[in-house]
Amino acid sequence: MAHFSSEDEVMLQAMLRQLFQSVKEKITGAPSLECAEEILLRLEETDENFHNYEFVKYLRQHICNTLGSMIEEEMEKCTSDHNQGEESGYDTVVQHVTKRTQESKEYKEMMHSLKNIMMVVVEAMINKFEEDETRSQDRQRRLQKEEHGSCCTDNCSDSDSSFNQSYKFCQGKLQLILDQLDPGQPKEVRYEALQMLCSAPPSDVLNCENWTTLCEKLTTSLSDPDPVFTDRILKFYAQTFTLSPLHMTKEIYTSLAKYLELYFLSRENHIPTLSSGVDISSPNVTRLLKKVRLLNEYQKEAPSFWIRHSEKYMEEIVESTLSLLSVKHDQSHLVSQKILDPIYFLALVDTKAVWFKKWMHAYYSRTVVLRLLEKKYKSLITTAVQQCVQYLELCETMRTDDILGHSKHCGDKQKGFFYSGQELQYIYFIHSLCLLGRLLIYTQGRKLFPIKLKNRKDSVSLKNLLVLFTQLIYYSPSCPKMTSVAYSENYSPASMVTDVLQILCDQKECAMECLYNSTVTETLLQPIHNLMKGTAAAPDCSETALIHIADILARIASVEEGLMLLLYGENMNSSEEEESPTGAHIIAKFSKKLLDEDISIFSGSEMLPVVKGAFISVCRQIYVTCEGLQVLLPYGLHESIAKAWKKTSLLSERIPTPVEGSDSVSSVSQESPNIVAWEDNLLDDLLNFAATPKGLLLLQRTGAINECVTFMFNQYAKKLQINRQKKFGYEVLVVQVASTAAGAVALQNSGFISALITELWSNLECGRDDVRVTHPRATPVDPIDRSCQKSFLALVNLLSYPAVYELTGNKELPNKAEYSLREVPTCIIDIIDRLIILNSEAKIRSLLNYEQSHIFGLRLLSVVCCDLDALLLLEAQYQVSNMLLHAQEENTFETSENHRDFIIDGLSVERNHVLVRINLIGGPLERILPPRTLEKGDDPYPWPMFSSYPLPRCYLSAVPPSADMKQDSDIGKLLSCFKMSDKQTEWIENCRRQFCKTIRSKPDAVSGGALGELLENFVLHLTENPSECYFPSVEYTATDADVRNESLSSVQQLGIEAAVRYGKFLNLLKEGAENDLALVLKHCERFLKQQQSPVTSSLLCLQGRYTGHDWFVSSLFIIMQGDKEKTFQFLQHFSRLLTSAFLWVPRLHISRYLPVDTIETGIHPIYFCSTHYIEMLLKAEVPLVFSAFHMSGFAPSQICLQWITQCFWNYLDWIEICHYIAACVVLGPDYQVYVCIAVLKHLQRDILQHTQTQDLQVFLKEEALRGFRVSNYFEYMETLEQNYRPVLLRDMRSLRVQST
């Protein structure tokens, strides 16, 4: 400072002028002072000339001269430390030196010196600026006087305004304004002072020392009787709120809040009473409301920026607000004479408490609000609860007509300027309701309860408050038939309470604490109880109230914890279930009565379809889950919904699929859009039964499967967003539907498959239409391009064996001589013809992307052929393996005379993989599949290719040792069980106990001849006990000679070859076993035919014999080591047991033991019973896996059906297949379910990983179950048996009465 001369001052002023001139446009364009400051602070980042400014150069040189030597010393110290072994990076050194520099004495002295210098320079520049402006203004005034008013008034600028736009306040000017604002001054002087204050930059006003005094003066002046004067003060306040920093706005806000608090506490002010009401046209009320509204506007804006400032500022704002709202007048008066508190006026301007919602949104402010409410202002919550209690009491005691007017004002746009006391009470009630609803969302807010109210003995707990809210839905008045849209949607009590409860439902933790208890659900269900009893549900419980109740119940049912509450109540093991039915039972009964129009109270009502739809929606949330469907099964909702749909369909007379080019629309549809919407709702409700395997059976029994699938396709084609309450999209429904024959046909008829294949072809061969020619498509690097991945997975989901058989069975390939490039496939046969079996040049030439498209087809073939029945069908009809071998043979080149080598490319590698997969049967340790990728190095593909059989030996693992004929001691004990005891139940339990012990301790012993002897003896002894026999005995006398000349299907013949090949590989079958297995299968076919009941059906799978291969009989044949007599004798005995229905798939093919309506669906009990419970147990036992399936758009039922149908062939090694069959035979059919759960639990990590990579379906179908051993999960399966056996066996035993 000592060296700062006048020349330096002039030089610095010039430097600053240069800087400001350069950034003038940026600063003048800033919307506020804060933004201008931010622009200057970030100038180095935004201005490329920053370092060329003379002022910046001056600062850099000044810093270098003052601190340069010290910085160099610190750098040397850090360098020496580094040389001594202390590792520190460049960034660490810079941070260290910067910190030491800023903490030094020299730095502080330099900053102090610079500040003083700049203050002198800036003050001089401001003074010079003011002098220049003053001279300019004087000169302008003289010019105006000389012109004698020749200019128009509109074109004249106000001198004061022009002056003050760039006016820099000093203390003298502010003191002058303070003096002029004194109440003793003339009105014009005070007005001019306020005008000058409003025109000044807020930051200049704030920086003056007299700001605090000014603030107090303005607050006092708010009581001035002159409305114009107070309006100008409020204008200044509003301007300050908009343009000033939080420090200034905080003081303005707190002063305004304090003023209002004192205003309400003062007895001199004429504040309206509750009995007199509020006339908002009154000048006093108008001024008061303006002040409250200004306060409220700032309340709603403040949370958007206060996090950037100190918590102390925010806390002062919050506390001043809560203090104001907690003001209470003397309560000795009668209620009608009560003086209105501040919160009534706040409720008038912010009825839905938006300010509180915003304050509670962020943790930063919420913490402060809740702390202050708990410690100092809990009375605010108490009065809010009190208001809700009083309103409910009012609703309970007064007639509807008397209180209907309380709420109509909010939606009445023609409302006058007067609010009665009752209307004010209602507005305050709505405000309290919204405030409490927001409070309950948060944990600390809920901890404020229970609340002690005056004149009430008991405290109001959370549960009491939720019950009160619920009662308000049906006790409060409702607008008839929702005629007043604004009223019903915005301010009716039922709507407001429903909105609050919906928000609580969406917060899981909050919902569990507040809503998921029997007291609240019983309150929700109370009007339904009363309606079914024939009594009045509640005073004026209208259709609207029931719709609101249904909406809340649907949201509760959409969450697992809420669903369990509705299904089983709080005490899931309660023995009083029959005496007090749970919520699900009540809802189902009520919904059925509504559908059957068995409730007379609403007959003829226009709102009845909406009420029906709302409650069916609740039921739908329940029956889309396996456990929920089990509970609702006795009510036959699917039949009632189907009946209502058929009735509505007749009324609408709508054509499901419009004819292209036809403009005719049903006149009934035009006149009755509500009927059409109701029909769609019913179809959607029916469709959602397909979410579970058993639900799909019920849907197919209704006969509406085709219409439902068509509806699903139409919705899917519109790409509508799925409702938040739906747990999954249509992908899961498609998977379930495609797992059945009738479902696959419905998908074909609806156009779904055609649309899917058209979309696939567009992505695979055509590309997008909107891509410009100048932007060529990227060359695919993945075997299946990302654009086709979705279509690929959709086809994988679709092509289960029942679907493959219905869509391709007995159908030949087109094999045209020529294919047009415009010819787009539309069905599965076309896909096989154009992408998989490319056996002609015409097919190859028709593909624009031959290699990519054919690889897509081969990948699809690989996945489909993992289902052995689908493999045999394609092989029998289209000779797939011969086509692939021929293609490999053509893909060679001649290396020398009489020697050809295979060309290694993407197609040959893919074909080699598929050929090995479809020709070798074996578990993860029994066969070796070649990879689909090349390796690095000189030999990129070391695996031998082939173009004829047999396969190279390298694809077979080491031959397993032949079965050891010596019996293990434990197996000996097991077999001795059949001789020791005469008591049936005793030996069965002993045998099962010994079996479990053996399979846990010595699992390998349960194999070979010993296993065959065990199964044979166990089943023989079991069938001697009539109580263990489920099916009746059937006399069978046919001999080998009788059946020898009978023919087997081509699928069965190919299956025999594959099974015998596998048995020989295992060293369990000998030469000639093909004929013996064929005889066994012929006997089985005739034996089962005696028990069949042929049906007339368009489904291919029901037109005669079982369509697949009998993998269970093949497995038994190998277990019995090729002994056909022992195998068939075992099967004859085994067919009487319940287990045969689930292990032996052809056992119940069109069986007379099944109800006719079940046979006609073509769905096997394994699907609608076993896989149904697999999904149910999976959700309870391995929820992550269950969620992964739904996230992938896949269903566990489809893959489990595939595993079970082929007895886990190709998925497990032979020893594990033996253990699976033995466990089901010895321990019971429910072990089929437990084994699948154990497998999925074993695969949990892989399933979660492939869910992320979006190829879960492909992984589960293609990959063997590596590392899984039945013995390792036996204890787990025993636990499952203890928990679930009663339920599973009860349902499995109900097969023969399933239709009831």
Side-chain angles (χ1 to χ4, degrees), residues 512-762:
M512 290 183 67
E513 192 173 342
C514 296
L515 291 169
Y516 299 160
N517 60 77
S518 57
T519 307
V520 175
T521 53
E522 285 171 6
T523 308
L524 277 169
L525 296 169
Q526 188 60 47
I528 303 173
H529 258 306
N530 296 336
L531 275 172
M532 288 195 294
K533 290 177 183 176
T535 59
D540 303 296
C541 180
S542 64
E543 299 100 314
T544 306
L546 287 174
I547 293 168
H548 288 314
I549 290 171
D551 183 76
I552 300 303
L553 289 171
R555 287 172 184 266
I556 291 174
S558 68
V559 180
E560 183 66 18
E561 291 78 8
L563 178 63
M564 291 300 106
L565 175 69
L566 292 177
L567 290 177
Y568 310 114
E570 283 186 306
N571 301 318
M572 294 181 62
N573 299 319
S574 174
S575 60
E576 302 178 358
E577 182 181 350
E578 295 183 1
E579 296 181 10
S580 56
T582 59
H585 291 280
I586 297 168
I587 295 164
K589 288 178 185 176
F590 184 63
S591 301
K592 187 170 178 62
K593 280 181 173 288
L594 284 173
L595 286 168
D596 297 340
E597 298 184 358
D598 197 18
I599 296 179
S600 59
I601 190 170
F602 294 136
S603 59
S605 168
E606 293 179 10
M607 294 294 293
L608 185 56
V610 184
V611 177
K612 289 180 182 178
F615 277 93
I616 297 171
S617 179
V618 183
C619 293
R620 183 167 70 186
Q621 294 298 322
I622 300 173
Y623 65 66
V624 294
T625 65
C626 295
E627 61 274 23
L629 184 66
Q630 290 299 117
V631 172
L632 299 192
L633 205 55
Y635 299 100
L637 281 174
H638 61 291
E639 296 172 351
S640 297
I641 297 173
K643 183 180 176 181
W645 166 72
K646 289 172 183 175
K647 181 179 177 181
T648 309
S649 183
L650 290 173
L651 289 174
S652 70
E653 298 180 4
R654 185 179 56 167
I655 302 173
T657 308
V659 179
E660 187 176 354
S662 173
D663 296 329
S664 61
V665 182
S666 170
S667 60
V668 178
S669 296
Q670 290 178 334
E671 295 171 4
S672 308
N674 291 336
I675 294 179
V676 176
W678 175 227
E679 183 184 357
D680 284 347
N681 283 342
L682 290 170
L683 277 176
D684 199 17
D685 295 327
L686 277 175
L687 172 65
N688 276 268
F689 275 99
T692 63
K694 186 167 290 185
L696 182 56
L697 172 72
L698 301 179
L699 171 59
Q700 292 200 18
R701 283 178 176 174
T702 65
I705 180 69
N706 288 305
E707 289 81 1
C708 287
V709 171
T710 300
F711 169 78
M712 176 179 70
F713 170 59
N714 292 336
Q715 297 297 103
Y716 183 80
K718 294 175 185 175
K719 301 185 184 300
L720 297 178
Q721 186 173 357
I722 298 300
N723 187 295
R724 66 165 291 282
Q725 292 181 26
K726 291 187 179 180
K727 297 178 174 63
F728 41 78
Y730 287 121
E731 290 85 356
V732 175
L733 295 179
V734 171
V735 175
Q736 296 283 22
V737 169
S739 299
T740 66
V745 173
L747 287 169
Q748 173 94 323
N749 295 339
S750 70
F752 178 88
I753 294 177
S754 176
L756 173 63
I757 292 173
T758 302
E759 182 182 2
L760 162 67
W761 198 259
S762 174

Side-chain angles (χ1 to χ4, degrees), residues 319 772 780 1073:
E319 182 156 16
R772 294 172 59 188

Side-chain angles (χ1 to χ4, degrees), residues 832-1009:
I832 296 173
D833 186 50
R834 301 289 300 278
L835 296 182
I836 297 176
I837 302 182
L838 300 184
N839 52 3
S840 69
E841 283 295 324
K843 293 182 182 180
I844 295 174
R845 285 197 302 269
S846 71
L847 297 176
L848 297 176
N849 302 299
Y850 163 64
E851 186 168 350
Q852 180 189 354
S853 298
H854 192 27
I855 285 180
F856 181 97
L858 292 174
R859 284 287 171 106
L860 184 63
L861 175 67
S862 174
V863 178
V864 172
C865 286
C866 291
D867 188 315
L868 292 179
D869 284 333
L871 165 63
L872 297 181
L873 177 67
L874 295 178
E875 184 65 25
Q877 292 190 167
Y878 309 125
Q879 294 77 48
V880 173
S881 58
N882 287 338
M883 179 275 298
L884 294 174
L885 290 171
H886 181 70
Q888 289 293 75
E889 185 177 0
E890 290 187 340
N891 197 48
T892 58
F893 67 97
E894 190 171 344
T895 56
S896 62
E897 210 173 314
N898 300 325
H899 188 270
R900 300 181 70 84
D901 275 353
F902 290 92
I903 298 172
I904 297 175
D905 58 13
L907 286 174
S908 63
V909 168
E910 193 67 41
R911 280 193 293 261
N912 194 52
H913 177 91
V914 175
L915 278 167
V916 176
R917 180 181 287 279
I918 67 178
N919 282 282
L920 274 186
I921 287 181
L925 300 178
E926 294 169 347
R927 67 172 180 172
I928 300 170
L929 296 177
R932 288 170 161 139
T933 56
L934 301 182
E935 299 175 2
K936 293 181 179 180
D938 297 334
D939 190 4
Y941 193 76
W943 301 91
M945 293 187 180
F946 56 95
S947 57
S948 62
Y949 295 132
L951 272 67
R953 297 292 301 174
C954 65
Y955 297 118
L956 295 169
S957 63
V959 179
S962 59
D964 187 5
M965 299 306 294
K966 294 181 181 179
Q967 290 183 2
D968 186 90
S969 59
D970 289 322
I971 286 290
K973 291 179 184 177
L974 188 53
L975 296 174
S976 68
C977 291
F978 302 114
K979 304 172 185 177
M980 290 174 60
S981 176
D982 295 330
K983 295 181 180 179
Q984 293 284 354
T985 54
E986 184 179 325
W987 74 256
I988 290 174
E989 291 307 316
N990 287 341
C991 185
R992 285 172 174 163
R993 195 178 304 112
Q994 188 63 35
F995 173 79
C996 293
K997 178 182 176 183
T998 305
I999 207 168
R1000 278 197 303 265
S1001 58
K1002 297 181 179 179
D1004 293 340
V1006 186
S1007 62

